[in-house]
Amino acid sequence: MSSVPVAVVTGSNKGIGFAIVRALCKQFPGDVYLTARDPGRGQEAVAKLQKEGLHALFHQLDVDELQSIRALRDFLKEKYGGLNVLVNNAGIAFKVHDTAPFAVQAEVTLKTNFFGTRNVCTELLPIVKPYGKVVNVSSVAGSSALGGCSQELQQKFRSNTITEDELVELMTKFVEDAKEGVHQKEGWPNTAYGVSKIGVTVLSRIQARMLNEKRKGDHILLNACCPGLVRTDMAGPKATKSPDEGAETPVYLALLPSDADGPHGQFVSDKTVRTW
Ligand code: NAP
């Protein structure tokens, strides 16, 4: 088994994830895994970094597929005995003008952004090593969506005692309400992406709390963050930041020094803790 530290970035064949891998290749003292659902696109991305003189390793990972997540978990356990840095970056967003019905957008978006991210956490958090770092790429779109929720929902999402099961129930309810065309009547904002990112941020707050309760001595730091508005296929060419600039906050959180006791359980943008 290798004792080399290991970092994994989900959805990193392009966009912000790719830029996070690039930065980690330069700064992380260990093996860096670029992962992609499509091995062809993943290998191509690794080759692109190779041309920059950077050495990333590749492993397939589709966050929508439990089997794929478990294959990565088993590989990491066997080769490294766990992992040191996990960046949950994979995500999707329908374009504003997409004509897919809202119910479809809700189901598809939540499947990857919330349920996929949660499944990766469920499988990989238990093997994160002491002093490890976990970064969940969320969005300020989640914070805005929170403001668009009913008072009752806002209270639940801001609660310091909400459980993961309760959060999963709420995210499932959003998809069901969308299918029945009653999501706004039920107090949800009219944004599937925004709700999915509420889910990612609240999940991060819960997981950080659980780490405090169950693995305090392991000093693992787990946070959600927003990369900013970044020029990628998702946000388009008019966004303000380059992918490398968008990677800065996630990478800062992934490389917090081992003697840091925070941030932990926070929502961070521009390297600054924001009020949830
Ligand atoms: P992007 O360019 O569209 O890249 C998204 C990445 O996620 C791609 O590599 C994509 O792979 C991957 N992905 C999608 N579904 C996946 C799945 N089921 N399993 C594994 N990988 C999957 O988007 P981006 O702008 O870099 O976004 C990265 C993250 O930042 C997302 O979580 C996004 O919500 C968040 N974010 C972005 C912005 C922004 O302004 N761009 C702002 C706030 C937050 P394929 O190539 O196979 O599709």
Side-chain angles (χ1 to χ4, degrees):
M1 195 183 288
S2 170
S3 60
V4 171
V6 59
V8 171
V9 184
T10 72
S12 47
N13 52 288
K14 67 176 185 178
I16 298 163
F18 180 75
I20 293 171
V21 169
R22 176 190 277 134
L24 289 178
C25 282
K26 293 176 186 167
Q27 299 174 54
F28 179 72
D31 288 351
V32 181
Y33 279 84
L34 184 155
T35 67
R37 54 180 159 182
D38 180 87
R41 287 198 287 274
Q43 297 287 7
E44 230 174 82
V46 167
K48 197 171 152 194
L49 288 173
Q50 193 78 47
K51 281 193 190 139
E52 297 178 20
L54 299 171
H55 182 62
L57 296 152
F58 174 72
H59 201 285
Q60 195 273 346
L61 176 66
D62 184 338
V63 306
D64 289 347
E65 299 290 338
L66 208 45
Q67 259 183 318
S68 166
I69 300 172
R70 289 185 173 151
L72 175 64
R73 177 203 60 192
D74 293 346
F75 167 80
L76 292 167
K77 250 164 95 172
E78 201 184 320
K79 179 152 187 205
Y80 299 93
L83 82 163
N84 303 81
V85 167
L86 170 63
V87 183
N88 280 302
N89 163 81
I92 58 157
F94 282 79
K95 299 284 180 230
V96 185
H97 300 297
D98 198 295
T99 52
F102 189 78
V104 172
Q105 299 200 15
E107 183 164 35
V108 172
T109 308
L110 273 278
K111 182 180 161 113
T112 300
N113 294 7
F114 177 72
F115 292 102
T117 300
R118 173 180 183 245
N119 287 341
V120 173
C121 289
T122 303
E123 301 300 329
L124 295 189
L125 276 189
I127 65 163
V128 171
K129 293 183 179 181
Y131 297 93
K133 311 286 181 290
V134 181
V135 184
N136 294 330
V137 180
S138 188
S139 172
V140 287
S143 317
S144 317
L146 179 67
C149 288
S150 65
Q151 285 305 319
E152 192 190 337
L153 280 174
Q154 287 192 34
Q155 208 171 21
K156 288 181 180 167
F157 289 132
R158 289 202 174 99
S159 157
N160 289 324
T161 54
I162 183 174
T163 64
E164 193 169 321
D165 285 346
E166 286 165 349
L167 176 63
V168 166
E169 236 174 76
L170 284 167
M171 292 290 119
T172 305
K173 183 176 185 303
F174 169 69
V175 175
E176 280 165 6
D177 288 347
K179 281 184 185 165
E180 286 165 26
V182 298
H183 64 282
Q184 284 178 295
K185 199 175 119 250
E186 290 295 308
W188 297 102
N190 201 31
T191 157
Y193 180 76
V195 171
S196 76
K197 294 301 190 180
I198 291 178
V200 174
T201 301
V202 176
L203 180 69
S204 310
R205 286 160 55 89
I206 295 168
Q207 287 169 338
R209 220 174 60 216
M210 289 301 111
L211 285 169
N212 288 347
E213 285 177 18
K214 298 192 171 135
R215 296 178 65 185
K216 189 74 187 162
D218 283 349
H219 304 280
I220 293 166
L221 298 178
L222 183 153
N223 292 285
C225 70
C226 179
L229 196 58
V230 184
R231 292 187 292 278
T232 63
D233 287 348
M234 183 181 287
K238 290 187 184 147
T240 47
K241 288 187 183 181
S242 68
D244 289 333
E245 288 166 340
E248 280 175 20
T249 292
V251 169
Y252 151 75
L253 292 170
L255 297 178
L256 287 167
S258 56
D259 60 354
D261 52 13
H264 177 57
Q266 302 292 340
F267 176 67
V268 179
S269 70
D270 287 325
K271 300 187 190 172
T272 306
V273 170
R274 307 292 174 180
T275 311
W276 175 245

